[in-house]
Every structure is written in C-alpha cells, then in structure tokens.
Amino acid sequence: MLKALGLCLVAAGAAGTGLSVCAERGQRVLQLARLSGLFTEIAGEIAYSRAGLSEILTALGEKMRDAGDAVLGTALEEIGAGLETGGELCALWQEKMGDYAARGALRGRERKLLLSFPGSVSFPDTERQRTAVEFFAAELNREMEAARAREAEENRMTMAVCLAGGALAGLLLL
Amino acid sequence: MDRIGMLFPESLREPWKGVRISRDDLREIRLRAQQPVLLLMRDGEWYPDAVGGGLSRGSGNAPRPTKRDLDRIVAHLSRYSLYACEEEMRRGYLSAAGGIRVGIAGEVIPGPDGTVRNIRNVGSLNLRVAHERKGAAGRLLSWLYEDGRLCSTLILSPPGCGKTTLLRDIIRLASDGNRLAPGVTVGVVDERSELAGCFQGVPAFDLGSRTDVLDDCPKAPGMMMLLRAMSPGAIAVDELGGGEDIRAVLQAVHCGCSVLATLHADSWESLSRKAALEPLRRERVFERILLLKKESGRFFAAQIRNGEGVLMEENVPC
C-alpha cells in the first residue's frame, strides 16, 4: 500500500514538474505578446497623437495595470513619471524594464532587445520614429510566433520526458 | 536653481549644483558648443562657476558644453520625444516645462520647397525663461478701457522689452475682471507656447479664470476656431505676422471681439512703414497702441496712442 502511494507521489511530482515548465513557456509567449502589443500601441500613439513618450508610457501603464499586468503597468508609469521630473530615459528604462524583464520568462535575446529601446527614440520626425518603434513590435511578435509554434511540440516533449522520468524513478524505488 | 538644473540631463547637472539664481533675475541661458555657458541676468551677463559655485563675471570656470552635450540637452528637453517637437524644431525652437522656450541654431535641413525641414548638428541653444509679472499692466488699465469696454490694443517694442509679459498681465486682468470692468472670456492663440507657457496642455502662467488657450496653434486658424467655438469677448495673440494674421484680426474685430496683440517694432514710425499692416491702419482696428521701452532693467510704456495715432500719454511705468 505504501509503495503504491509512493509511486503515485513520484508520478504526480514528475507531472507537476512538467506542467510547471510548460506553464513557464506559456508565460513567456504571453509576455512576448504583451510587449509586442505595447510597442504597437506606442507606435500608434506616436503616429496618431504625436504625444510625448512620457505621456504615452503613463497612459499605457495605466492600461496594462487595468489589463491585469501590474508589474509592467507600474514599470511604465514609473518611467513616465521619471521623465516628467527630469529623469533620463536610458537610466529609467534600464532600471524599471530591467526589473520587469528579470522577473518574467524572457530569454537573453528578448531581454536585450527590450532593453535596447531607449537607443531608438532619437528620430526627429514622426514617421521614422513610428517605424523604429514598430521594429520592436515586429521583432517581439516574431519571437512570440516562433515560441508559440514550438510551444505545443516542446510541451509534449517535456511532459513525455517528465512522466517517463517519474515512471523510471518509481520503478527504481520499487 | 533646482528648477533650472532640471533643464539638463542628470549627468550634466553637476556644474549647476552650487549655483543659486532667482528665476525672477534670470532671462536667458546661452549654451554654445565648446564655449562657456553664459547667463543673461537682469543685471547683465554672468558665468556659472563650476569650481567655486555661484556666479562670476569671468568665464574661466564656466562649463563648456560639447556638441554631444547639446544633443543630450535637446533630447532631454523634448522628453526624449523629438518627433513630438517636429513642428517647433522646424520653426527653430522647443517648448520646455515651466514656460521656458529653447531657441535652437545649427545646421538646417532644407525641405523640398525651400522651407526648413529640421535642424541637426545643434551648435547653440538659448534657454529663454519666461516671466510672470502680475500687476505689470495695472497702471496702464485706465488707457486700455473706454466706457467699460476693453479696447483692441497693439503692443510694440523691440525684442526683450516685455511685450509678452505685459500682454500676459493684460489678459489676466481682462479675464478675471478689474476695477474698470467685469471679466470677459479671453481666447488666447499661443502659437509658440510663450504666452501661457503650456506644457502638455496645462498653462504654466496665470492667464485668468475666463481664459481659453489654443496652444501651439497657428494664429490665423486659431483665431477663427476661437470665434466659432468659444465665443470670446477678446482674443490675444503674440507677435502678429503676415497677411493671414491680419485678415484674421480684421475678422475678429468685425465679429465684435477686442484683439490684444504684440508686434516687433522699435518706434511709431517703424510701425507706419510696415505695409502688411495697412488694412489694420485703414480700418483703425487697434484703438490703443503702446510702445514699450526698457531702461535699467525696467520696462515702461514710452508712448500710448489712440487709433488715430494721437499721443495720449508718455512714460507710464509697467
């Protein structure tokens, strides 16, 4: 009886590990989709209202928070407020978005791309600035699509490996 | 000085930390690539002393910004949103928070039709600090009203003699009401964000409780928009320009509005020589014309004339 219970626990642990890895993968896809959407909205605001970056980031921060991403929302609002009080974009972005990226499931290249944004806001005309911001949206969207395409296959592999590992561990423990 | 220091990116604030300046005394900060920073104060030119702190008449210890520093200051003043300042840059300036206007000189990028597309390789910046002098128009009021009605008024002076400061106070007094008349709705077309000092739509200066501001809007269409939508009793504009502005002024006056305006001119005679103003002269649109002068840092109305050009009063302090 105890052996059967132990076997069940090992199998459940293996499945739980697999699910956790899959969930993190799903989280990354979600985060990439949200960031891609964020840059699309920034580009749209630049083209439509020509509002300043601080104004745009503050408004989008509020929107993100309402949409349930309090971490990203707060980071954007803090960057917007920092710009209003004379802060430098590069330092503010590295600090706030760096924290946000570190907390999430983004990978090295995606983080690097996200943190390189302040280098792309020096264009003196609306059209070129919009194009520059759209590049970030497109790149992150591409990463997201690739991650999503791989997600199902990788999730299947992960679950198979975890469950097989769990079964093997169970057999060895018997 | 903290507020002045805020005009610079954090990494360039160090030389300003020991410098204490009253905003009331500061007129301009001149920044030129590789040249000492120059402050134009009420009592003349001073240099910030980056070593000892404070101000000095000598330029020895003044910081000398590099071209890259100027680029960073421009980016900072635009809140890293140069694209949002495209129109302003085309006209050679940027509006910063707190009613500060930044004049820019550098290499002009020409547009296809000979216009200015933008400025690059910025070599000089002139940070011009706008001032609010409540009460500046107080002693002039009795000449600006006739039977309780605000007269259309043109303020003339050479640059830097207080035209905009005086106009700002006349707007405030007309809007809030004063000893001669109750307040009227005043529409302000602030093409260069100097009158109201708007930053993101919020005026930095007190223009009165019945004042509506169209910020960053060309004067002629702005006046028409106000006439159609805001029913102003008076319309105020800074620095009247060419034919379109003149036609808009005429239309406003024909609609029963008083017009308050300023114009660059150093004398009554130079006003008479401006051909573009002929329609206004012919119709005697401006019922009062004030010529401002400046002596020992104080400005005053050297001449007050009526619409026929008859001198009404001289040397009224503002």
Side-chain angles (χ1 to χ4, degrees):
Chain A
M1 179 66 187
L2 277 176
K3 280 184 179 178
L5 190 64
L7 194 61
C8 288
L9 280 176
V10 169
T17 306
L19 286 173
S20 159
V21 172
C22 293
E24 192 176 310
R25 205 169 279 134
Q27 182 62 34
R28 177 170 157 252
V29 171
L30 195 68
Q31 200 172 4
L32 285 169
R34 190 157 280 162
L35 286 172
S36 173
L38 170 72
F39 283 108
T40 303
E41 292 215 40
I42 294 175
E45 281 301 316
I46 286 171
Y48 176 68
S49 67
R50 285 194 186 182
L53 209 52
S54 57
E55 206 179 326
I56 294 174
L57 293 178
T58 305
L60 288 179
E62 203 174 316
K63 200 170 165 182
M64 288 290 166
R65 234 151 21 94
D66 291 345
D69 194 339
V71 181
L72 180 57
T74 307
L76 293 173
E77 283 178 332
E78 285 177 358
I79 295 169
L83 289 177
E84 284 306 308
T85 51
E88 288 186 58
L89 176 65
C90 193
L92 286 164
W93 189 270
Q94 296 295 332
E95 186 194 336
K96 307 295 178 192
M97 293 306 272
D99 279 354
Y100 167 74
R103 283 198 213 181
L106 297 182
R107 291 183 182 167
R109 187 186 173 281
E110 295 148 6
R111 277 187 209 183
K112 212 171 154 186
L113 182 67
L114 177 65
L115 297 183
S116 69
F117 175 65
S120 308
V121 293
S122 55
F123 291 97
D125 67 284
T126 311
E127 191 49 37
R128 284 167 71 204
Q129 186 59 71
R130 181 182 65 83
T131 309
V133 177
E134 277 177 346
F135 166 79
F136 285 85
E139 281 295 295
L140 288 163
N141 191 54
R142 205 165 54 82
E143 293 287 339
M144 189 268 291
E145 291 292 350
R148 181 180 279 164
R150 287 195 305 266
E151 190 184 11
E153 178 67 18
E154 286 177 355
N155 284 354
R156 264 197 303 276
M157 290 269 291
T158 304
M159 288 309 292
V161 168
C162 287
L163 289 174
L168 182 65
L171 285 173
L172 289 174
L173 289 172
L174 279 176
Chain B
M1 193 59 206
D2 286 350
R3 286 191 60 153
I4 303 298
M6 296 291 273
L7 293 168
F8 304 99
E10 272 168 21
S11 49
L12 298 176
R13 284 181 199 161
E14 192 57 37
W16 298 92
K17 284 199 173 146
V19 181
R20 296 273 171 268
I21 307 171
S22 151
R23 184 181 164 129
D24 285 345
D25 295 333
L26 182 61
R27 298 287 177 267
E28 291 175 0
I29 303 174
R30 295 275 186 166
L31 303 160
R32 296 180 176 101
Q34 310 297 350
Q35 298 296 323
V37 172
L38 179 66
L39 303 179
L40 189 63
M41 310 282 287
R42 190 203 290 260
D43 59 349
E45 293 182 350
W46 292 83
Y47 296 93
D49 188 337
V51 179
L55 298 176
S56 157
R57 290 287 188 189
S59 64
N61 291 333
R64 290 167 190 262
T66 61
K67 186 194 158 302
R68 184 166 151 62
D69 290 339
L70 296 186
D71 288 340
R72 287 163 66 196
I73 292 168
V74 170
H76 176 76
L77 289 170
S78 73
R79 298 284 190 266
Y80 304 90
S81 312
L82 277 175
Y83 60 90
C85 309
E86 194 180 352
E87 281 303 318
E88 289 185 344
M89 290 279 282
R90 210 170 271 176
R91 289 183 235 149
Y93 68 91
L94 278 177
S95 300
I100 290 170
R101 202 175 86 171
V102 184
I104 300 172
E107 185 186 342
V108 167
I109 306 172
D113 49 355
T115 55
V116 174
R117 177 182 282 174
N118 215 316
I119 298 176
R120 69 177 172 190
N121 291 328
V122 172
S124 308
L125 296 175
N126 176 17
L127 280 64
R128 201 169 160 191
V129 182
H131 291 93
E132 185 172 42
R133 272 192 55 196
K134 287 190 178 178
R139 295 192 202 176
L140 296 168
L141 272 187
S142 49
W143 283 280
L144 303 184
Y145 280 86
E146 209 168 77
D147 304 327
R149 191 185 67 83
L150 180 64
C151 299
S152 287
T153 302
L154 181 64
I155 304 169
L156 311 173
S157 86
C161 287
K163 284 189 299 292
T164 307
T165 307
L166 179 63
L167 177 59
R168 196 177 287 134
D169 202 47
I170 295 174
I171 294 168
R172 183 183 64 84
L173 290 169
S175 171
D176 281 344
N178 54 68
R179 64 179 192 274
L180 299 171
V184 294
T185 301
V186 183
V188 174
V189 187
D190 198 4
E191 186 165 357
R192 290 189 280 191
S193 301
E194 268 196 304
L195 269 172
C198 278
F199 188 68
Q200 295 181 351
V202 181
F205 300 117
D206 179 7
L207 292 185
S209 56
R210 294 180 187 85
T211 302
D212 307 304
V213 181
L214 271 181
D215 184 40
D216 206 13
C217 177
K219 283 183 276 286
M223 282 190 260
M224 292 304 104
M225 282 165 73
L226 286 173
L227 281 173
R228 279 194 294 267
M230 303 305 286
S231 313
I235 288 182
V237 292
D238 204 12
E239 294 179 15
L240 273 184
E244 251 188 273
D245 291 354
I246 306 301
R247 279 191 290 279
V249 168
L250 281 170
Q251 199 158 343
V253 170
H254 292 157
C255 289
C257 256
S258 301
V259 174
L260 306 168
T262 67
L263 189 75
H264 280 306
D266 58 1
S267 65
W268 173 251
E269 290 71 30
S270 68
L271 175 69
S272 318
R273 286 195 294 269
K274 288 184 190 281
L277 301 181
E278 183 51 33
L280 301 181
R281 275 195 294 270
R282 201 171 45 239
E283 296 206 25
R284 294 197 177 135
V285 164
F286 288 109
E287 300 156 279
R288 297 291 182 270
I289 297 164
L290 311 181
L291 176 65
L292 301 188
K293 290 269 165 78
K294 188 177 175 185
E295 274 177 18
S296 313
R298 301 201 167 273
F299 67 92
F300 60 97
Q303 296 177 2
I304 302 174
R305 292 177 185 264
N306 67 12
E308 281 96 42
V310 177
L311 189 63
M312 298 172 78
E313 188 59 80
E314 286 181 293
N315 300 330
V316 181
C318 298

